[in-house]
Amino acid sequence: AHQMEEFKAWRQERINRATRRLPPKSVRVRTIQGWPPRALADLAAGPAADLVLMGTHGYAGLNRAFFGSVAEAVVRRARVPVLTVHGDGKQLSLGKILVPFNGQAYAEKAVLCARAWAKRFRSRLTVLYVEPDGLREPKLTAAIESRVRKLLGPDARGASFKVRRGNAPHEILTEAERSHDLIVLAAHRRSFWSDFVLGSTAERVLRHSTVPV
């Protein structure tokens, strides 16, 4: 019982420290029990919030296999946008936003979300299309750029469209870490074991990015 009281006091001190710069009336502390990936993912899948903001260790390899990734579990299950900040990475800034787009319907939401954020915070927006290795189809690339311009509407005049060729996660990370402050990326829902074995672009970027995603 004594150890539990010490833990609660330690936890409360950490919460107070983390929220000390926020208006007291805007903060509500909620405690839930359970395995963190499942409990947080279930919370994010419900109507509890419009946005989930969380830190990530960026586990990879054996560390990811043994400890899992709470952030990836939440991203996989959440029904609202999830913003992740790497513990050793850049602080959150909205000066330059990068949004990868692969031409798929599910990725259009990311473009629209990035457009809204760029407009709200007066950010510079870059849309990135990565051509797969061995695939060189100028007509397809032109069609994707045209689709992007239509999605952005009048805001397209202030946005950049870039094309890279190669491995999508690598090119996204390289472009982001070179000159951007935030990555806005659509997550394609797949089964847990499919993601565990093959990974997904969203989760690979989330795992390795030092830029908030």
Side-chain angles (χ1 to χ4, degrees), residues 136-178:
R136 181 66 175 172
E137 296 187 18
K139 290 185 178 180
L140 175 60
T141 301
I144 288 177
E145 180 175 4
S146 176
R147 181 57 186 155
V148 167
R149 299 295 178 187
K150 289 181 180 179
L151 287 171
L152 294 178
D155 299 314
R157 291 191 296 270
S160 300
F161 180 77
K162 290 188 176 183
V163 180
R164 295 286 185 266
R165 185 185 302 175
N167 176 268
H170 173 76
E171 295 302 324
I172 293 169
L173 291 168
T174 299
E175 182 66 30
E177 293 173 4
R178 179 184 297 142

Side-chain angles (χ1 to χ4, degrees), residues 81-151:
V82 180
L83 176 59
T84 65
V85 180
H86 197 291
D88 298 323
K90 296 181 180 179
Q91 292 186 347
L92 179 62
S93 174
L94 297 173
K96 297 180 180 179
I97 298 176
L98 177 69
V99 53
F101 182 67
N102 61 4
Q104 299 297 318
Y106 73 86
E108 293 180 359
K109 289 186 177 180
V111 176
L112 296 176
C113 179
R115 182 190 69 176
W117 280 48
K119 191 171 183 177
R120 172 65 177 81
F121 298 103
R122 299 181 180 179
S123 311
R124 294 176 59 185
L125 178 62
T126 300
V127 181
L128 176 67
Y129 170 60
V130 180
E131 293 180 338
D133 283 323
L135 177 65
R136 181 66 175 172
E137 296 187 18
K139 290 185 178 180
L140 175 60
T141 301
I144 288 177
E145 180 175 4
S146 176
R147 181 57 186 155
V148 167
R149 299 295 178 187
K150 289 181 180 179
L151 287 171

Side-chain angles (χ1 to χ4, degrees), residues 32-45 74 77:
I32 56 177
Q33 295 181 338
W35 186 49
R38 169 72 66 177
L40 288 173
D42 287 345
L43 188 64
V74 173
R77 292 172 56 85

